Amino acid sequence: MSLLRVEGLGKSFGGNRAVDGIAFSLERGELLALIGPNGAGKSTTFDMVNGQLRADSGSIVFDGVELIGRKPRDIWRRGVGRTFQIAETFASLTVVENVQMALLSADAKLYSFLSRAADHRRDDALALLEQVGMKAQADRPSSVLAYGDVKRVELAIAMANAPKLLLMDEPTAGMAPKERNELMALTKRLVVERGMAVLFTEHSMDVVFAHADRMIVLARGRLIAEGRPLDVRDDPQVQAVYFGSGRTFEKAKAGVAS
Ligand code: ADP
Ligand code: MG
């Protein structure tokens, strides 16, 4: 049984069919890229899976349970996590305190975090930081970290609830190519080690080709292709719809503007 099975999923905003009856599935241990031009419906799809948005039609079965109609907190408790940007207000906390906060939240003890974050599950938080290569910086203020390191901490925070499925919407936005590749290589390692699944959106085709096990392509709310990255790359419909005439993945890779 697939960890996630989406069928006939649809969402409209007014007359705009943002997501138009898409179907896909995701297995444990798999890193799946969701790509498509701006406005294709990627974030809307994510938000239906995590419960922020309610689907108009279709089904989202996760670990044998229908998610449509459930509250975000319920979906999160069942093992669907997502990465969040570290809020400004938490920038004054140290790296390890940020992860301890996330562990408190996972334990539903948020009410007492102010008094107890300093000693709550510090060892667990350090173990999570070690997994993302950030243990040595645990006691530094989050505000002084390099951007790529902040992204690693955000990943550690998302792992605090030990998700079975992690949703990452544009995780590498604003990062340099080298940092992007490092973050997704790390993500892939966690996927394999923990047997979890990751669904992520990404604009850099290099990153998708280098790290994704499989990819699905959305255009105007419809799923137009699915498969292994190198097979999808050569699909004429994908080349035409995703890049427009005359623009190809090869040109995109070379950084040729559209
Ligand atoms: P992507 O993440 O692929 O860029 P989105 O899922 O954000 O695309 O958007 C898909 C379509 O739905 C776009 O046409 C967008 O304008 C529209 N849309 C997204 N969210 C809303 C909303 N809250 N209200 C109205 N329209 C929305
Ligand atoms: Mg989006």
Side-chain angles (χ1 to χ4, degrees), residues 6-245:
V6 169
E7 279 171 359
L9 188 66
K11 179 76 188 175
S12 295
F13 298 106
N16 176 10
R17 295 189 68 85
V19 175
D20 195 1
I22 67 169
F24 64 93
S25 59
L26 183 52
E27 311 301 326
R28 293 167 184 83
E30 192 176 40
L31 183 58
L32 178 64
L34 172 56
I35 72 160
N38 281 336
K42 304 181 296 294
S43 295
T44 302
T45 300
F46 272 57
D47 288 345
M48 287 190 279
V49 176
N50 68 40
Q52 299 291 122
L53 278 176
R54 191 182 171 116
D56 297 337
S57 59
S59 82
I60 303 172
V61 176
F62 170 73
D63 218 7
V65 171
E66 176 60 60
L67 295 186
I68 293 177
R70 294 185 185 275
K71 297 233 154 43
R73 181 86 187 175
D74 180 14
I75 292 171
W76 178 76
R77 276 189 205 289
R78 287 173 187 278
V80 179
R82 52 188 283 220
T83 48
F84 283 98
Q85 295 195 344
I86 293 178
E88 291 278 323
T89 43
F90 296 159
S92 63
L93 298 181
T94 66
V95 170
V96 71
E97 283 167 352
N98 263 293
V99 180
Q100 285 174 276
M101 288 272 310
L103 286 166
L104 276 170
S105 177
D107 292 347
K109 288 178 183 158
L110 199 56
Y111 59 89
S112 62
F113 81 85
L114 281 175
S115 57
R116 304 211 353 238
D119 41 56
H120 184 87
R121 295 184 63 180
R122 183 179 159 91
D123 292 345
D124 293 341
L126 289 173
L128 282 168
L129 286 172
E130 185 159 35
Q131 287 200 16
V132 300
M134 286 297 294
K135 193 178 175 188
Q137 301 195 63
D139 293 314
R140 302 183 74 199
S142 302
S143 55
V144 305
L145 297 183
Y147 191 64
D149 290 341
V150 170
K151 293 288 163 182
R152 285 169 186 270
V153 176
E154 287 172 2
L155 188 55
I157 287 171
M159 303 303 296
N161 193 39
K164 295 175 192 160
L165 166 64
L166 181 62
L167 306 173
M168 303 171 80
D169 199 358
E170 303 196 28
T172 70
M175 296 175 92
K178 182 167 173 288
E179 293 178 313
R180 282 182 195 174
N181 277 299
E182 285 172 359
L183 184 74
M184 293 320 294
L186 168 63
T187 303
K188 174 72 200 194
R189 215 185 68 220
L190 292 173
V191 162
V192 171
E193 284 174 6
R194 293 174 162 245
M196 67 173 192
V198 167
L199 178 64
F200 75 110
T201 62
E202 174 62 58
H203 289 297
S204 162
M205 288 306 121
D206 273 353
V207 170
V208 172
F209 295 143
H211 304 288
D213 297 309
R214 205 155 51 88
M215 65 194 279
I216 52 181
V217 185
L218 282 187
R220 293 185 189 162
R222 290 178 181 252
L223 202 150
I224 61 163
E226 165 175 14
R228 289 178 304 168
L230 293 178
D231 296 334
V232 171
R233 184 185 69 176
D234 299 328
D235 181 316
Q237 199 190 353
V238 173
Q239 298 264 347
V241 174
Y242 190 69
F243 294 108
S245 56

